[in-house]
Amino acid sequence: MDTKRRLKRALSAIDDATSTLKRVRSKVENGRSDISRALNELDDAETNIRRAIRELPDGV
């Protein structure tokens, strides 16, 4: 996989995870979500961010 494609995929994953974090934070702040489910979503988002960072090409 070329560097540009890996970078685009990693940035997309980070963007998706960031959107998840914002959405869950809003749910929690508004008291409309089950806290346990929200925490699981946050954990998943964090895992996706870590995975995307590991996939970044060296030197980026």
Side-chain angles (χ1 to χ4, degrees), residues 23-40:
R23 181 173 43 81
V24 171
R25 179 177 288 120
S26 176
K27 286 181 180 180
V28 170
E29 288 172 353
N30 293 324
R32 293 182 296 188
S33 73
D34 171 39
I35 297 299
S36 178
R37 188 174 73 231
L39 289 172
N40 286 337

Side-chain angles (χ1 to χ4, degrees), residues 8-60:
K8 281 180 133 180
R9 192 171 75 188
L11 291 175
S12 177
I14 290 169
D15 187 49
D16 290 346
T18 300
S19 294
T20 299
L21 290 171
K22 288 178 182 177
R23 181 173 43 81
V24 171
R25 179 177 288 120
S26 176
K27 286 181 180 180
V28 170
E29 288 172 353
N30 293 324
R32 293 182 296 188
S33 73
D34 171 39
I35 297 299
S36 178
R37 188 174 73 231
L39 289 172
N40 286 337
E41 287 187 55
L42 287 171
D43 286 342
D44 291 345
E46 182 180 6
T47 298
N48 290 339
I49 289 171
R50 290 179 189 279
R51 184 179 301 125
I53 289 171
R54 280 194 311 268
E55 291 181 13
L56 284 172
D58 291 339
V60 174

